[in-house]
Amino acid sequence: MTDLLDTTIPQLRARFADRSLSPSEYWLAVEARIAAFEPSVAALYAYDPDDARVQAAASTVRWLKAEPLGPLDGIPVTLKELIATKGTPVPLGTAATVLTPAEADSPVAARMREDGAVIFAKTTCPDYGMLSSGLSSFHPLSRNPWNTAMNPGGSSAGAAAAGAAGYGPLHIGTDIGGSVRLPAGWTGLFGFKPSNGRIPIDPYYVGRCAGPMTRTVEDAAFAMATLSRPDERDATSLPPNAIDWMDLDIDVKGMRIGLMLDAGCGLEAEPEVKAAVVAGARQFEAAGAEIVEVGPLMTRAMLDGLDHFWRAKFWGDIRNLAAERRAMILPYIHAWAEKGADVTGVQAVAGFGQTMEMRKAAAQLFSTVDAVLSPTNPVVSYPADWASPTNDPERPFEHIAFTVPWNMSEQPAASINAGFSTSGMPIGLQIVGPRFADLTVLKLSKLFETLTGGIRRWPRPS
């Protein structure tokens, strides 16, 4: 089964076209994989295998007629629970939400349907998407397929667990501080956060992006042609593009690539993480790039300011909930949020101002280098039932210092597997490019994947 599940999206399309494999046959392989892993990893919400069979059968008919709807016709895909699909409630990961069916597909879901993708499930996230964890007051605890005692990260927790377990080739998450890249790093996937606005989203917000989570760079790149089509609902979206997303060749000779091993604040990168990232940098150096060590971008004032701003905003979002509803929020999240009541307006505005400081610091850094390499996650892993790597609501963002500045500066960034720890857990390498240089990040990622051989093994079901 894993041989079939290793098939990339372009390879699947070729097989659908030559009739050596049908979307229905491929879906049944994915369905069997889900049956093997889902009891232990709990990645999915609103999973509907019966409807998936119907969608796959319709795609099979289209391929037999040589009339696919679009590039992703017949490709199984999951969407993070926060990405609305018409008719399915969006619980926001929390038991506090009143379950009301969504009135319309979000931009990402609409693009998937237009292309004939088989949307077979949503994927889990923590309460309001506010944790790097699979812990939720609404969903079952999502776990890391590489070791189910460990955390998949978040907030695209279910997407990461589903991708690592082999539930098809494409899973779409969202990212406002690292929520695609962090779980991708902890589960060995490729996770791509494009430049802000490249993939239209609804609702949009400062730093918020959607992005693909896949086993290969090629699959993420292929999906970008669909995901980046315009949608008028996102007032922050970029103009329509003519990017050839599959143009992934690059010669790095003459490129100046920064190596950042110190985030400037938060958790220090563990020795195994640093070693994997340095080894990754040497791969680029051997290919002809100039590797230069760069200092940290983030400061304690930036991270704490972001904490103040997010606490105040989130407390404003939930303070008017009925008391019985608010009591249903995950206690860790509630304990963090209620401190937002003590944040003054001046402090909140100053906290938001730190996003501009991150942006200025990123612009300064990228005036000296063409790309940056860093750890994705500072730690190798942490227990499945922890809310974050610190598990402390007073230190909630100590793990995002390598990832969050690129959301605020609106730059493309990816996490790619850089190897495994002695404990057998994946380690992520982050690759960051200048604003709008999405294709450059994908090219560098593809080169790294080629140089290292990519992931050559699968986790086993518990």
Side-chain angles (χ1 to χ4, degrees):
M1 184 191 298
T2 53
D3 289 342
L4 184 54
L5 295 176
D6 272 329
T7 310
T8 66
I9 294 174
Q11 290 169 343
L12 286 170
R13 282 177 46 83
R15 293 195 62 183
F16 294 165
D18 70 17
R19 303 185 184 182
S20 63
L21 179 71
S22 74
S24 288
E25 290 167 334
Y26 181 69
W27 165 251
L28 291 177
V30 173
E31 189 176 324
R33 187 72 170 178
I34 294 169
F37 270 86
E38 188 60 10
S40 59
V41 302
L44 303 181
Y45 161 67
Y47 173 44
D48 191 343
D50 293 333
D51 184 62
R53 290 188 210 110
V54 171
Q55 293 181 64
S59 177
T60 296
V61 171
R62 292 192 293 270
W63 279 103
L64 287 173
K65 293 180 179 179
E67 297 175 351
L69 286 178
L72 295 177
D73 201 335
I75 304 300
V77 62
T78 68
L79 306 179
K80 186 175 179 179
E81 185 244 273
L82 300 179
I83 299 171
T85 51
K86 185 177 180 179
T88 303
V90 183
L92 305 176
T94 180
T97 299
V98 176
L99 297 181
T100 304
E103 295 183 358
D105 283 334
S106 66
V108 168
R111 300 298 86 77
M112 292 293 117
R113 291 202 204 278
E114 289 164 3
D115 273 10
V118 177
I119 302 175
F120 65 90
K122 309 296 284 294
T123 51
T124 64
C125 69
D127 289 51
Y128 302 100
M130 290 301 301
L131 299 177
S132 287
S133 175
L135 186 62
S136 162
S137 64
F138 179 83
H139 301 293
L141 178 64
S142 297
R143 298 174 179 270
N144 195 319
W146 291 99
N147 180 342
T148 53
M150 296 298 165
N151 214 295
S155 63
S156 303
Y167 297 5
L170 180 59
H171 308 273
I172 313 300
T174 61
D175 188 317
I176 199 171
S179 290
V180 161
R181 290 157 290 152
L182 292 166
W186 278 311
T187 57
L189 296 178
F190 178 68
F192 180 50
K193 182 205 81 69
S195 296
N196 289 48
R198 183 71 71 197
I199 297 175
I201 55 171
D202 181 33
Y204 53 87
Y205 190 68
V206 176
R208 187 169 187 254
C209 300
M213 302 171 73
T214 59
R215 277 179 61 85
T216 69
V217 176
E218 183 180 55
D219 281 349
F222 191 90
M224 284 300 297
T226 296
L227 291 167
S228 63
R229 291 204 299 265
D231 193 295
E232 64 184 8
R233 289 173 288 180
D234 186 350
T236 69
S237 61
L238 298 178
N241 66 77
I243 297 171
D244 180 358
W245 292 102
M246 299 305 287
D247 176 16
L248 296 175
D249 292 333
I250 190 170
D251 183 350
V252 296
K253 293 182 180 67
M255 287 191 72
R256 184 177 167 88
I257 299 179
L259 175 61
M260 181 186 292
L261 296 175
D262 178 4
C265 56
L267 296 174
E268 182 178 357
E270 293 176 342
E272 282 188 292
V273 173
K274 286 185 179 180
V277 171
V278 169
R282 298 304 165 227
Q283 294 277 1
F284 287 106
E285 187 174 51
E290 179 188 0
I291 301 298
V292 294
E293 292 192 17
V294 297
L297 186 152
M298 291 286 287
T299 65
R300 174 51 59 183
M302 290 176 183
L303 197 60
D304 287 349
L306 199 59
D307 184 12
H308 288 155
F309 170 62
W310 279 348
R311 283 193 205 230
K313 181 192 179 301
F314 189 64
W315 179 248
D317 291 342
I318 68 170
R319 64 177 178 170
N320 292 326
L321 287 177
E324 61 272 18
R325 283 277 165 194
R326 206 164 63 234
M328 299 167 77
I329 297 172
L330 192 74
Y332 179 103
I333 291 290
H334 195 276
W336 168 77
E338 63 184 353
K339 293 292 181 68
D342 300 327
V343 177
T344 68
V346 170
Q347 288 174 319
V349 171
F352 178 77
Q354 291 299 323
T355 67
M356 297 298 108
E357 295 304 313
M358 291 180 222
R359 193 179 187 114
K360 286 191 285 187
Q364 175 60 37
L365 173 60
F366 273 83
S367 70
T368 67
V369 294
D370 300 307
V372 167
L373 307 176
S374 80
T376 304
N377 316 297
V379 301
V380 168
S381 194
Y382 52 105
D385 60 355
W386 281 22
S388 72
T390 63
N391 206 32
D392 180 356
E394 291 308 306
R395 301 171 64 228
F397 301 128
E398 300 300 295
H399 57 288
I400 69 171
F402 283 113
T403 54
V404 71
W406 318 120
N407 293 78
M408 301 307 140
S409 63
E410 303 189 358
Q411 292 174 230
S415 178
I416 191 166
N417 180 249
F420 292 81
S421 69
T422 54
S423 63
M425 299 304 290
I427 295 173
L429 167 71
Q430 184 173 223
I431 302 174
V432 188
R435 194 172 177 219
F436 308 134
D438 303 67
L439 192 57
T440 298
V441 171
L442 291 171
K443 286 172 180 279
L444 291 171
S445 300
K446 178 60 178 176
L447 175 61
F448 182 78
E449 183 180 62
T450 300
L451 293 171
T452 60
I455 305 173
R456 294 190 177 274
R457 54 192 172 111
W458 286 89
R460 297 180 180 274
S462 297

